[in-house]
Amino acid sequence: MKSSFKAAILFVLIAVTGYLAFYYAPIERSMGVIQKIFYLHISCAFSAFVAFGTCFYANLRYVFTREAKSDWLGVSAAEVGLAFITVVLVTGPIWAHPVWGIWWTWDARLTLTFVLGLLYLSYLLLRSMIEEPDKRALFSALFGIFAFLDVPLVYFSIRWWRTQHPQPVILGGPGSGLEPRMRVSYLLMWGALTGVLILLVSARYRLEALRASVEDLRREAEVR
Amino acid sequence: MKNLDSVLAAYLAGWAIFFVYYISVAQRLSTLREEVERLKALLTKGR
């Protein structure tokens, strides 16, 4: 399937999920309309976890196999995950300001999410500083494995510590959960964002494969 | 509706981040494709 066709399908899906979030899902009783940010914010957070999980898997695989393809997947997933976590860090304060009266607070969940963004930004900066491809791949894979340790900390932070951030609504145990129309809207939004994630990771992977071809061709040109 | 502007701002900001990122990947891809063509032409000429 052509990538422009896939992008068109995703565009329609995103429009449908946007419609569901705004018109189909009911307005939450205590927060009002501002709660609708939740559909994008939480879906992006879960998609970022999927991206960082993929990066972790690729990094582990690179350490054991030294396959260039694992390195390409690692950097692609890390960069796309960073885009998703940036959306989380931007939409969170937009929700927080009318609800809490402040844009930001250094509680466990917010701080650990901010650190997560910084860790994967450092992962990409580290790659840009190492010229030799094998060394770059190995060092960044080891750093990526370390960076992933923050993901479970972000996920469990609201379960382990008292935080300003709301308690879990999804998979939060007894008493938690979503109203059925909210659940449908949320799951479809997450599905659409997973499509965006796959589209972006595959485009970024093609970029890395092409970069490797350029490096090979340059070496060949230098030899001559 | 109270705070509707904040909700719209959040969605616009979110989709803008994805769109800008996709454009940046597409631009880098196009630059690299041109570089591959240039290097291939250089190597063919050298033969």
Side-chain angles (χ1 to χ4, degrees):
Chain A
M1 210 191 300
K2 269 190 163 185
S3 58
S4 55
F5 184 64
K6 283 186 223 162
I9 293 174
L10 268 179
F11 185 78
V12 172
L13 198 58
I14 286 161
V16 170
T17 55
Y19 174 82
L20 289 176
F22 276 86
Y23 298 104
Y24 177 68
I27 293 174
E28 206 264 345
R29 210 181 304 152
S30 57
M31 278 185 271
V33 77
I34 195 76
Q35 179 272 343
K36 289 186 183 292
I37 291 179
F38 159 97
Y39 302 105
L40 180 66
H41 180 74
I42 300 186
S43 304
C44 280
F46 274 110
S47 296
F49 291 165
V50 171
F52 295 142
T54 307
C55 177
F56 176 68
Y57 163 76
N59 290 160
L60 271 180
R61 203 177 146 84
Y62 182 81
V63 170
F64 289 109
T65 65
R66 304 297 162 101
E67 278 177 0
K69 284 180 178 178
S70 298
D71 179 51
W72 302 346
L73 180 63
V75 64
S76 308
E79 205 178 275
V80 174
L82 187 61
F84 273 87
I85 214 73
T86 305
V87 176
V88 174
L89 288 168
V90 168
T91 54
I94 297 175
W95 172 86
H97 188 251
V99 178
W100 296 342
I102 47 168
W103 293 99
W104 184 266
T105 182
W106 294 101
D107 85 345
R109 169 54 77 87
L110 276 69
T111 307
L112 286 166
T113 309
F114 184 68
V115 168
L116 186 65
L118 289 182
L119 280 167
Y120 281 92
L121 184 64
S122 309
Y123 171 95
L124 297 173
L125 286 173
L126 176 71
R127 291 184 67 88
S128 69
M129 286 190 295
I130 305 172
E131 290 258 326
E132 209 271 301
D134 293 340
K135 213 173 174 183
R136 177 176 62 214
L138 182 63
F139 281 18
S140 60
L142 293 172
F143 186 82
I145 292 166
F146 162 73
F148 184 74
L149 295 177
D150 194 32
V151 171
L153 287 179
V154 171
Y155 182 77
F156 287 109
S157 57
I158 50 174
R159 289 160 174 86
W160 291 344
W161 299 295
R162 282 175 68 90
T163 56
Q164 175 102 3
H165 189 281
Q167 291 301 297
V169 178
I170 297 158
L171 305 173
S176 68
L178 285 170
E179 191 271 344
R181 281 176 297 166
M182 286 181 170
R183 194 186 309 130
V184 168
S185 306
Y186 164 72
L187 288 174
L188 282 174
M189 178 73 81
W190 190 36
L193 282 166
T194 304
V196 172
L197 176 80
I198 293 167
L199 184 83
L200 290 176
V201 170
S202 49
R204 184 61 184 79
Y205 184 89
R206 280 200 303 278
L207 176 74
E208 209 55 35
L210 207 57
R211 188 171 283 162
S213 308
V214 168
E215 280 177 12
D216 287 346
L217 286 168
R218 275 191 190 141
R219 267 194 293 274
E220 205 180 318
E222 276 167 21
V223 169
R224 285 186 185 188
Chain B
M1 240 184 291
K2 200 183 164 198
N3 295 322
L4 187 62
D5 51 346
S6 297
V7 178
L8 289 173
Y11 275 82
L12 280 176
W15 293 119
I17 288 167
F18 290 130
F19 184 70
V20 168
Y21 177 67
Y22 185 72
I23 295 293
S24 100
V25 173
Q27 275 180 344
R28 283 183 281 169
L29 262 172
S30 143
T31 310
L32 280 174
R33 276 192 192 120
E34 281 170 21
E35 182 69 1
V36 166
E37 290 308 312
R38 193 187 68 80
L39 286 167
K40 275 183 182 167
L42 194 76
L43 287 168
T44 317
K45 220 186 270 178
R47 272 181 194 151

